[in-house]
């Protein structure tokens, strides 16, 4: 354990129920998973909500492959969605689970050549963050900034 972690561990032991954040980074293998939509089909998603059309079945299956056992949490986090929007050469989307004060939420980015990235936020105060897919999609500052705002790492 690193020395700077000692106060946080002691405080968590001293004050039960304190929220400590945990960001689980994606496995390298998940960065290689790709969605099966063409770039034109991805850009056509702008202004829509994921899962509102039968044509989204392929994309939902791709997210199921990417997220594995966390797929149900991801879909639950998209219950109250905002419309997807285009940011540069990517499409971003996000939503929350009603009644959780945005502590349970999902965020995703679809990029060119099938690249995909997803985040599932859960736990007490939304402090447990699981990432899946290609983090290279966060290279563009506007996408990264939206990700940081979603995870409450940038106010």
């Amino acid at each position: 354990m690193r020395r700077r972690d000692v106060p946080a561990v002691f405080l968590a032991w001293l004050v039960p129920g304190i929220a400590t954040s945990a960001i689980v980074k994606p496995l390298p293998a998940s960065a290689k998973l790709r969605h099966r939509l063409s770039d034109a089909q991805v850009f056509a998603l702008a202004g829509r909500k994921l899962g509102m059309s039968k044509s989204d079945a392929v994309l939902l299956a791709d997210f199921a492959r990417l997220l594995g056992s966390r797929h149900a949490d991801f879909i639950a986090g998209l219950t109250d969605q905002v419309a997807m929007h285009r940011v540069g050469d990517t499409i971003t989307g996000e939503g929350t689970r009603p009644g959780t004060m945005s502590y349970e939420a999902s965020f995703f980015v679809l990029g060119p050549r099938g690249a995909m990235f997803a985040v599932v936020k859960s736990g007490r105060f939304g402090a447990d963050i699981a990432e899946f897919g290609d983090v290279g999609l966060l290279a563009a500052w506007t996408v990264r900034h939206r990700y940081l705002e979603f995870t409450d790492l940038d106010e």
Side-chain angles (χ1 to χ4, degrees):
M1 183 175 346
R2 289 181 272 173
R3 185 177 294 211
R4 66 179 177 208
D5 293 339
V6 173
V9 170
F10 178 72
L11 186 59
W13 175 78
L14 185 64
V15 182
I18 191 168
T20 56
S21 65
I23 298 177
V24 179
K25 296 294 181 184
L27 297 172
S30 76
K32 297 176 182 172
L33 291 175
R34 297 288 185 232
H35 64 76
R36 295 173 280 174
L37 302 180
S38 69
D39 290 347
Q41 289 172 313
V42 170
F43 296 140
L45 295 171
R48 295 185 35 227
K49 295 180 181 180
L50 184 64
M52 298 298 167
S53 171
K54 288 184 180 182
S55 62
D56 292 343
V58 171
L59 188 55
L60 289 171
D62 293 338
F63 275 118
R65 279 186 312 123
L66 177 68
L67 298 163
S69 64
R70 297 298 306 267
H71 183 254
D73 296 331
F74 177 75
I75 295 300
L78 291 175
T79 303
D80 188 14
Q81 289 184 63
V82 296
M84 292 180 266
H85 59 278
R86 186 172 177 173
V87 179
D89 62 349
T90 64
I91 292 288
T92 63
E94 63 186 278
T96 61
R97 187 174 191 172
T100 63
M101 296 175 38
S102 297
Y103 295 151
E104 294 180 23
S106 299
F107 173 78
F108 63 91
V109 182
L110 300 172
R113 295 172 303 284
M116 55 194 304
F117 177 74
V119 180
V120 178
K121 185 166 70 167
S122 61
R124 189 170 178 153
F125 304 115
D128 295 325
I129 299 165
E131 299 177 352
F132 304 88
D134 187 356
V135 295
L137 289 171
L138 301 179
W141 171 244
T142 51
V143 175
R144 183 164 186 77
H145 186 259
R146 185 61 220 125
Y147 159 78
L148 292 171
E149 285 180 335
F150 173 80
T151 56
D152 295 326
L153 297 173
D154 182 26
E155 293 294 320

